[in-house]
Amino acid sequence: MDEKLQRDSLDLIGALNRQRLEREGDPEISTRIASYEMAFRLQVSAPELMDLKKETKETLELYGADPDKPSFARACLLARRMIERGVRCVSIYHEGWDAHSDVTGNHRKNCGETDRASAALVKDLKRRGLLDDTLVIWGGEFGRTPMVETNPALGRSLGRDHHPQAFTMWLAGGGVKPGLTYGATDELGFHVTDKPVHVHDLQATVLHLLGFDHEKLTFRYAGRDFRLTDVHGKVVADIVG
């Protein structure tokens, strides 16, 4: 199936869906039409998007990316290319932070693989005029305990266990104040001691930065309207520019 045949097929399906939309007024039909069109655009644009060899040598060196080798750096560069082309949400993952053993070696390795490219993404977005309209969020599922974890039965030593009470995330662009550190822990990094931000507060703030009121944005499930932050969450106004 070549591109013309696929385009003709989608046009026919779209015409039939629009007829049904006019007859029934079901918004799900509009969603289906839009998803087919998005899928087609992604399919025809992907080869050009993935061709990193068109990037300058300076840009590749900024990220530390090799166009021919999968890496977090290459993923960050692809994220910038997606944002340039109007992709609304991009997620990048880097595995292997669950340091139940050798936390020092684990974090040194992983920071080395992510720090340069993460900073390059923010810098590249800014110099291209994209950062003001792009919210960058960097974080994990939780932090690590301040005490050492050792478990001979599981082969663990000099590691750290899961720690949800206090951990750090950073945000850039998208209406966030730059150069600001918000909140603090005790000297061990165990408990929050100043300006706590619950995960619901973070979600409310992210929605606010995206132009949504988290108290009004709802979805219907099991017969009632739910908020994405449930009955919790407040916008952290001090970090909003």
Side-chain angles (χ1 to χ4, degrees):
M1 179 181 288
D2 61 20
E3 184 177 329
K4 183 179 184 306
L5 178 57
Q6 189 173 11
R7 179 70 265 173
D8 291 343
S9 299
L10 283 174
D11 288 343
L12 175 59
I13 294 170
L16 293 172
N17 277 331
R18 282 188 288 273
Q19 288 180 15
R20 187 175 178 184
L21 177 62
E22 291 177 2
R23 185 171 65 250
E24 300 182 12
D26 184 353
E28 288 292 333
I29 299 173
S30 296
T31 301
R32 188 178 303 121
I33 294 171
S35 68
Y36 286 161
E37 290 296 327
M38 175 64 77
F40 177 77
R41 293 199 300 274
L42 286 171
Q43 196 171 41
V44 298
S45 63
E48 186 275 333
L49 167 68
M50 299 295 293
D51 186 7
L52 299 186
K53 293 181 180 178
K54 294 182 179 179
E55 294 287 341
T56 65
K57 180 180 179 182
E58 184 272 335
T59 297
L60 293 172
E61 290 179 349
L62 176 69
Y63 285 84
D66 183 335
D68 297 320
K69 293 181 180 180
S71 66
F72 183 82
R74 193 174 76 166
C76 284
L77 182 50
L78 282 171
R80 190 223 76 207
R81 291 172 64 86
M82 290 180 183
I83 292 166
E84 278 184 314
R85 288 156 177 78
V87 177
R88 293 185 176 185
C89 181
V90 182
S91 297
I92 305 171
Y93 296 93
H94 184 273
E95 298 178 344
W97 293 83
D98 201 11
H100 291 282
S101 287
D102 187 21
V103 69
T104 300
N106 175 285
H107 282 28
R108 181 179 290 118
K109 173 181 177 295
N110 289 325
C111 288
E113 293 175 355
T114 60
D115 183 69
R116 177 179 176 181
S118 299
L121 175 59
V122 175
K123 181 177 181 178
D124 206 10
L125 288 171
K126 184 175 181 179
R127 69 183 183 179
R128 293 170 186 269
L130 297 169
L131 188 59
D132 288 345
D133 297 324
T134 304
L135 176 62
V136 182
I137 305 172
W138 199 106
E141 53 186 337
F142 40 51
R144 312 306 298 186
T145 54
M147 70 286 289
V148 172
E149 178 186 9
T150 297
N151 189 326
L154 296 177
R156 296 175 178 175
S157 64
L158 300 177
R160 301 282 179 88
D161 203 351
H162 304 166
H163 187 66
Q165 279 79 11
F167 54 94
T168 300
M169 300 179 70
W170 61 258
L171 286 72
V176 175
K177 289 181 181 177
L180 171 70
T181 299
Y182 188 86
T185 67
D186 56 36
E187 61 182 2
L188 298 177
F190 197 92
H191 288 299
V192 176
T193 58
D194 183 44
K195 300 175 182 176
V197 177
H198 191 275
V199 63
H200 289 119
D201 301 334
L202 175 65
Q203 292 168 340
T205 305
V206 169
L207 288 170
H208 174 78
L209 292 167
L210 295 176
F212 297 104
D213 184 336
H214 76 104
E215 294 185 346
K216 295 180 179 179
L217 180 64
T218 62
F219 62 97
R220 181 159 286 270
Y221 176 73
R224 80 172 179 88
D225 292 330
F226 286 79
R227 286 165 27 189
L228 296 180
T229 52
D230 197 23
V231 295
H232 311 284
K234 61 182 184 299
V235 175
V236 186
D238 289 343
I239 72 169
V240 177

